[in-house]
Amino acid sequence: MRYLKNRKGFTLIEMMIVLVIISVLLLIAVPNLGKNQEMARSKGCEATIDLVSAQMIAYEIEKGQKVTDLSVLKPDYVDTLQCPDGTGLKLSNGKIVKDES
């Protein structure tokens, strides 16, 4: 019995306090992660549009003709004509936009 009294360790109350603190931190952190993912998807699409626009200009300089269909950029100028969220891109009035249809 004497051995059990001298043992150092956490009590049940201390463990419960730690679990409550961790739970509160998770409740604060998880909703913020969702917001950040949506912003990252949006920024990823903007970056893809900027990249395809730059490659379209490179095509026009190299070939000496305007791009009328984005498919001419694949595979030599771009690998994909989609945003990271799967939304396609299209050419509208000489600018690249998301294909919302």
Side-chain angles (χ1 to χ4, degrees), residues 4-75:
L4 293 176
K5 287 185 178 180
N6 291 334
R7 288 184 64 187
K8 302 281 186 202
F10 294 109
T11 64
L12 180 60
I13 299 294
E14 291 170 331
M15 291 298 288
M16 290 179 71
I17 290 171
V18 169
L19 288 174
V20 167
I21 291 170
I22 291 173
S23 298
V24 169
L25 291 174
L26 285 174
L27 287 172
I28 292 170
V30 169
N32 289 334
L33 292 176
K35 292 176 188 174
N36 291 339
Q37 287 178 348
E38 184 61 36
M39 185 175 19
R41 283 189 198 106
S42 173
K43 295 295 181 184
C45 195
E46 289 175 22
T48 303
I49 290 172
D50 290 343
L51 172 73
V52 174
S53 295
Q55 291 304 90
M56 187 174 77
I57 293 169
Y59 176 89
E60 291 173 357
I61 291 170
E62 190 173 303
K63 303 290 184 180
Q65 58 189 20
K66 293 275 186 189
V67 174
T68 56
D69 183 21
L70 290 180
S71 63
V72 299
L73 299 176
K74 281 182 77 175

